[in-house]
Amino acid sequence: MDPSPQKNGTLLITKLKRNGQEQIVSAFYEDAKAVELSCTTFRKGPLLGNIYVGKVKNIVPSIEAAFVEIEEGILGYYSLKDNKDPIFTGRKKEGKLSPGDELFVQVSREAVKTKAPTLTCGLSFPGKYLVLTTGKKELGLSSKLSSEEKIRLKALAKPFLTNDYGIIVRTNAAGVSGEELQGELERLSRACREVLTFGAHYAPFSLVYRELPSYAAGIRSLPKDRLSRIITDDPKLYSSLEEYLSSKQPEDLDKLVLYQEERPSLDSVYGITRALEGALKARVWLKSGAYLVIEPTEALTVIDVNTGKYDGHKKPADTFRKINLEAAREIARQLRLRNLSGIILADFIDMEDPKDREELMEVLAQALKEDPVKTVLVDMTPLGLVEITRKKVRKSLREQAEESA
């Protein structure tokens, strides 16, 4: 096979050794460049998306929250304000939440440093095209869908609604037939019924639904029109991926390839280790010789644009414009590559011409649209800082790497 990168996306899934630990590394390449990276260890998988029979440890009225134990010694933060309809197991059907209660909870946000994982009673079962939820029992549509697709998909999905669950139509549903949507919905609703039926008889701290490993969940979340190949060089991973695709995404099974060449290795062909190590460094060099400095903090991420080694012969205004436009495109890629989330402040080089600033914001907005994760370009502050927000889906690449160190 020809393993060289293609214009459409190539997803690589391999095992690499870092800091003495073997990790599963997933890397998505577009135009021969890594745009998404994730790594997990074999010691423990992520909690995000898992559903447990939790046990209420205590109630804290002052912050309108409960702390629910989901595994021995692992407490999760459960907002009473945001979770008004808990799903109790068979030992309690209704009533006010109190210590000792057992209920179904799902991890909606993983633990971050000193913060406990966040739990919800609105259980979600994601598919490639739809998400079934026990929370809001209504129809939702991805904001990234075109107006025409929203009208078409709303007409197709609305008849599927029941009083038991809500449905969110994902971006990947664009162009998908009603039969395909119904088939996936049947699989998701079956999984939901099994959790609620069988899970009611499980003991506290039981894991009743395990979310897919991040490398498989990544396949489900990638834009379908930008995924051309899925390549792994590990036979066990190949078998696991083949099983998943056969049962959940048969339309993508023919994209799966087992790379069997000893030399050059898959890592060598694509430079996966180099891309991973580069994405963990603060400094990112641009082709022009300028560079970015990316510094995550507890509250936000700060990105500074510097002229660096740039040796342009144009006047300063043209130089700053060129660097800023290149930096804007690279910042959009780095947010996705490093899975940065929350508030991001980008400090571009000052430009006096309002037209140059408008162009910068337009270029950045367009580049951010390529991100499958909801990303919002807020505005440029009076001090010239550009504010961006990005939804937190899972831990950042740095947090993933630190976990396995």
Side-chain angles (χ1 to χ4, degrees):
M1 63 164 282
D2 174 18
S4 58
Q6 298 182 348
K7 186 167 185 179
N8 277 350
T10 300
L11 179 64
L12 309 169
I13 302 171
T14 188
K15 291 178 182 176
L16 297 176
K17 268 203 171 183
R18 294 187 66 255
N19 303 316
Q21 295 287 337
E22 193 171 45
Q23 298 178 326
I24 298 177
V25 177
S26 177
F28 184 56
Y29 279 69
E30 287 184 322
D31 296 328
K33 187 179 286 187
V35 294
E36 287 186 23
L37 286 168
S38 70
C39 55
T40 55
T41 66
F42 293 87
R43 288 181 298 176
K44 64 172 185 176
L47 298 177
L48 185 67
N50 287 351
I51 299 175
Y52 297 86
V53 175
K55 189 171 185 177
V56 179
K57 190 79 171 177
N58 58 350
I59 309 288
V60 188
S62 60
I63 59 172
E64 294 187 85
F67 285 91
V68 180
E69 194 168 8
I70 54 175
E71 291 183 6
E72 290 284 352
I74 298 181
L75 293 175
Y77 172 85
Y78 181 91
S79 169
L80 299 176
K81 182 179 178 182
D82 298 334
N83 294 284
K84 298 186 183 298
D85 299 303
I87 307 174
F88 296 103
T89 62
R91 287 162 282 281
K92 181 174 181 177
K93 293 294 184 183
E94 57 184 16
K96 190 176 179 180
L97 204 66
S98 55
D101 285 345
E102 297 170 17
L103 67 162
F104 292 106
V105 289
Q106 186 170 34
V107 180
S108 58
R109 181 178 294 181
E110 292 204 75
V112 179
K113 296 181 180 177
T114 58
K115 295 182 180 178
T118 301
L119 308 177
T120 178
C121 66
L123 311 182
S124 295
F125 298 83
K128 184 177 180 181
Y129 308 125
L130 305 170
V131 178
L132 180 147
T133 174
T134 64
K136 293 182 180 178
K137 297 180 173 63
E138 56 190 39
L139 180 63
L141 297 156
S142 166
S143 60
K144 290 181 177 283
L145 289 165
S146 67
S147 300
E148 294 79 8
E149 274 300 297
K150 285 181 180 178
I151 294 170
R152 185 185 74 87
L153 290 166
K154 186 175 181 180
L156 287 176
K158 200 166 185 179
F160 301 154
L161 278 177
T162 71
N163 293 325
D164 298 323
Y165 49 74
I167 299 170
I168 300 170
V169 182
R170 305 186 73 181
T171 309
N172 267 338
V176 172
S177 68
E179 290 76 14
E180 290 176 285
L181 295 179
Q182 187 171 14
E184 181 168 91
L185 183 61
E186 287 173 357
R187 291 196 296 271
L188 298 177
S189 58
R190 184 164 56 248
C192 179
R193 286 195 304 270
E194 288 175 355
V195 165
L196 297 178
T197 302
F198 297 113
H201 305 289
Y202 282 33
F205 319 139
S206 295
L207 173 62
V208 294
Y209 174 86
R210 185 186 296 278
E211 173 59 307
L212 293 171
S214 58
Y215 61 86
I219 300 175
R220 184 182 62 199
S221 300
L222 285 171
K224 64 178 181 181
D225 58 344
R226 284 156 61 180
L227 177 62
S228 61
R229 292 188 299 181
I230 305 163
I231 306 175
T232 182
D233 56 355
D234 185 90
K236 288 185 178 179
L237 287 176
Y238 179 85
S239 296
S240 173
L241 290 166
E242 186 178 41
E243 181 181 353
Y244 163 69
L245 291 171
S246 297
S247 60
K248 301 292 190 346
Q249 285 182 225
E251 67 277 12
D252 292 322
L253 182 58
D254 62 345
K255 297 175 183 176
L256 181 62
V257 176
L258 177 62
Y259 183 79
Q260 296 177 296
E261 303 295 328
E262 288 189 15
R263 293 185 181 179
S265 68
L266 194 62
D267 183 18
S268 298
V269 173
Y270 282 88
I272 303 170
T273 296
R274 185 170 64 251
L276 180 59
E277 296 302 332
L280 295 173
K281 292 179 180 177
R283 183 169 294 195
V284 179
W285 286 100
L286 306 178
K287 287 183 179 179
S288 63
Y291 65 90
L292 311 176
V293 177
I294 303 174
E295 293 287 357
T297 70
E298 187 77 26
L300 48 80
T301 298
V302 178
I303 303 177
D304 190 36
V305 181
N306 294 273
T307 54
K309 300 176 183 177
Y310 183 83
D311 190 22
H313 299 290
K314 298 180 180 180
K315 56 185 179 181
D318 292 336
T319 296
F320 297 159
R321 173 183 168 275
K322 177 173 178 166
I323 291 174
N324 279 340
L325 295 182
E326 183 186 12
R329 298 183 182 97
E330 185 60 28
I331 285 171
R333 186 177 82 92
Q334 290 294 326
L335 297 186
R336 186 178 171 194
L337 182 71
R338 299 171 184 236
N339 197 28
L340 300 173
S341 59
I343 299 172
I344 297 106
L345 288 181
D347 187 7
F348 288 92
I349 301 168
D350 290 339
M351 297 185 295
E352 294 183 3
D353 192 335
K355 290 184 179 178
D356 289 344
R357 293 197 292 269
E358 288 175 14
E359 183 185 20
L360 170 64
M361 295 297 279
E362 288 172 6
V363 168
L364 181 56
Q366 194 61 39
L368 292 174
K369 285 181 181 178
E370 297 294 310
D371 196 333
V373 174
K374 185 177 180 180
T375 307
V376 178
L377 177 57
V378 181
D379 203 355
M380 183 180 285
T381 70
L383 294 176
L385 299 173
V386 175
E387 186 177 354
I388 304 165
T389 62
R390 189 170 186 269
K391 183 180 179 182
K392 187 171 184 70
V393 177
R394 55 177 60 88
K395 291 184 178 181
S396 70
L397 182 65
R398 178 183 292 274
E399 290 169 320
Q400 294 172 29
E402 287 175 352
E403 266 191 352
S404 57

